[in-house]
Amino acid sequence: ASTMEIKKAYKDRAKEMHPDKFSSVAYTDQQRQEAETNFKLLGEGLEILCDDFMRQLYDEGYDQEAIRERVQAAQQAAHQRQGNYGRHHHRHR
């Protein structure tokens, strides 16, 4: 699915699952907690599926924690490369 399709499906689902819909006295505390948990998971899923790198890792079978670890490692490696570039590529005159 395209990012636009994913975001549209997310919006539709988010409207159904929003915790505010479960705030009336007709719902138990457990139902409200489940709604909050599900809504949070839905948002996390959107984040993963709308980022090309994270989505690739998800498609390869990595779970959420492993995806976050790999993203963090990639960001640190990129940051280190940027820092090293500045230190090692000055011209000496």
Side-chain angles (χ1 to χ4, degrees):
S2 72
T3 299
M4 194 162 50
E5 291 169 325
I6 291 169
K7 286 182 178 181
K8 183 187 179 323
Y10 166 81
K11 284 178 98 174
D12 293 342
R13 202 70 179 120
K15 287 177 187 175
E16 295 171 16
M17 297 174 65
H18 197 280
D20 288 350
K21 290 189 94 170
F22 296 85
S23 63
S24 76
V25 294
Y27 297 98
T28 66
D29 287 341
Q30 182 179 351
Q31 288 172 313
R32 284 189 283 277
Q33 288 175 337
E34 286 176 15
E36 288 178 22
T37 299
N38 290 335
F39 190 74
K40 181 180 176 187
L41 290 172
L42 183 66
E44 291 170 357
L46 175 70
E47 179 185 2
I48 289 171
L49 294 176
C50 289
D51 179 281
D52 292 337
F53 180 59
M54 286 196 267
R55 186 173 180 173
Q56 178 184 352
L57 293 171
Y58 176 80
D59 289 345
E60 291 174 6
Y62 290 97
D63 66 12
Q64 183 181 359
E65 185 177 336
I67 290 170
R68 296 219 186 281
E69 288 172 0
R70 280 158 179 76
V71 167
Q72 185 177 19
Q75 289 171 340
Q76 287 175 345
H79 182 70
Q80 287 174 345
R81 280 193 299 272
Q82 287 176 342
N84 290 338
Y85 180 80
R87 278 187 239 134
H88 297 291
H89 293 282
H90 288 283
R91 291 185 184 184
H92 295 282
R93 294 181 188 204

